Amino acid sequence: MTRLTRISSSVTGLAADPAPALRFSVPLSATRRGARLARLLATEQLLSWGLPFDPARLIVAELAANAVLHGRVAGRSFRLVLAVARPGTLRIEVTDTRGDRLPVCTPGVGGALAESGRGLLLVGEPADRWGVEEGPVPCKTVWAEVGFVPAVER
């Protein structure tokens, strides 16, 4: 297995930045329905902010599906956060309660038609940056940042 997790060398947490100008946070059930709801809520929230919803909804869909499939703990939810901390940058975070299971991507295993193992490749392609933050125990947060053109510049 190849670990493709990238972690920026700079401080990546929103706590280090000033309070985000726009922030949306919601806990969701760690079920397929919760993952679907994450994508739908993210799309609606981005539209309400006047931001483009692509490629963010693809990233949300992949990170939420991973939280449900690999980060699920019975009786515990996962959290979706959307934030614009810097002009022109949307940060997407999905936090689950399986900090002991860090993301692993295994490209090539099972051949080109494999049904799993490529989700983080789908996240990494449109994202400007992405990574994993461990903690607080027992959690981990997988995050991605994508740039967009602010409304005043469109």
Side-chain angles (χ1 to χ4, degrees):
M1 286 190 217
T2 304
R3 185 175 298 262
L4 293 180
T5 305
R6 298 186 301 183
I7 300 176
S8 172
S9 59
S10 64
V11 175
T12 58
L14 289 175
D17 294 330
L22 299 172
R23 188 171 196 280
F24 173 78
S25 177
V26 62
L28 297 158
S29 65
T31 63
R32 288 179 13 179
R33 187 176 194 182
R36 181 176 179 269
L37 186 56
R39 181 181 50 83
L40 294 172
L41 288 172
T43 300
E44 289 302 314
Q45 187 61 50
L46 293 171
L47 287 172
S48 77
W49 286 343
L51 301 180
F53 55 83
D54 280 327
R57 71 176 167 178
L58 168 71
I59 294 170
V60 168
E62 285 301 322
L63 295 182
N66 284 348
V68 168
L69 184 62
H70 304 294
R72 185 173 193 277
V73 174
R76 296 198 180 162
S77 59
F78 70 93
R79 177 168 296 278
L80 168 67
V81 174
L82 304 174
V84 178
R86 296 184 305 274
T89 302
L90 171 68
R91 183 176 172 103
I92 302 161
E93 298 180 350
V94 173
T95 302
D96 66 52
T97 54
R98 288 294 304 263
D100 60 322
R101 295 187 74 183
L102 296 178
V104 174
C105 188
T106 53
V109 173
L113 299 177
E115 292 184 18
S116 65
R118 292 192 303 261
L120 289 177
L121 294 174
L122 292 175
V123 169
E125 189 61 32
D128 297 326
R129 301 179 332 135
W130 69 275
V132 178
E133 294 177 358
E134 296 180 61
V137 173
C139 299
K140 73 171 173 300
T141 299
V142 183
W143 58 269
E145 293 181 346
V146 292
F148 63 90
V149 177
V152 294
E153 296 178 20
R154 284 188 219 160

